[in-house]
Amino acid sequence: MAEAHLTGTHHAGKIIRTGGCQCGHVRYEITAAPRALYVCHCRECQKQSASAFGISVIVDSADLRLIKGELRRWSRPSDSGNVVECFFCALCGSRLWHGDKERDATVSVKGGSLDQPPDLGNAVHIWTRRKLPGVPIPPDAAQFPGEPEE
């Protein structure tokens, strides 16, 4: 799988990526390089992002730290049949990540919540069978019609 490329600042030898919600109430930091970068074309990501796709930056839960603010949780079934734990700002409702960082080994940070948006050049495109008509996928991009395990 292609390494996810995100820009960030260095702090005490660690890469720091910061992000937060739309209103600024919630802030977080990521202290290590992401494991993967996905562009998800599933219907749920389209609804969640109110756009053509969702951007998922997969990080180790131990590398994600809530700096300030209050989160709310909402659970929903996913297209793959699993339950997704969705965390969002208690004030403005911006989705910040999926996965319970206290329980799960990794979480999926929503790419649009990062202060410096990710470069999607090496992103893996998933759930392409649900892609909106007219949305191009780079011809050399790794892509899967559903989950990457398919």
Side-chain angles (χ1 to χ4, degrees):
M1 186 149 320
E3 180 182 326
H5 293 284
L6 298 176
T7 57
T9 59
H10 294 273
H11 184 274
K14 288 195 166 201
I15 298 170
I16 303 289
R17 290 172 185 83
T18 56
C21 66
Q22 192 171 10
C23 75
H25 174 70
V26 174
R27 298 292 301 154
Y28 66 82
E29 69 180 10
I30 301 169
T31 59
R35 291 183 163 270
L37 177 61
Y38 294 108
V39 171
C40 184
H41 298 272
C42 81
R43 188 68 186 121
E44 288 301 321
C45 282
Q46 291 168 3
K47 288 178 181 181
Q48 175 262 310
S49 67
S51 188
F53 52 80
I55 301 169
S56 297
V57 180
I58 310 303
V59 301
D60 288 333
S61 292
D63 297 331
L64 175 63
R65 186 169 77 93
L66 181 65
I67 297 172
K68 76 170 194 141
E70 180 184 358
L71 296 174
R72 293 274 196 269
R73 176 196 307 232
W74 175 68
S75 300
R76 67 161 176 84
S78 70
D79 281 344
S80 64
N82 297 320
V83 173
V84 177
E85 300 292 336
C86 308
F87 290 83
F88 58 95
C89 173
L91 296 181
C92 71
S94 295
R95 192 83 57 95
L96 299 168
W97 63 78
H98 292 168
D100 185 339
K101 66 182 246 59
E102 304 305 321
R103 183 193 68 216
D104 302 328
T106 62
V107 294
S108 171
V109 174
K110 302 295 94 190
S113 71
L114 290 164
D115 292 335
Q116 294 180 322
D119 176 353
L120 300 181
N122 289 325
V124 176
H125 290 254
I126 60 175
W127 286 97
T128 57
R129 70 174 168 247
R130 301 249 171 96
K131 172 180 91 58
L132 294 180
V135 173
I137 296 176
D140 58 341
Q143 52 184 296
F144 297 87
E147 290 292 320
E149 293 80 31
E150 288 187 0

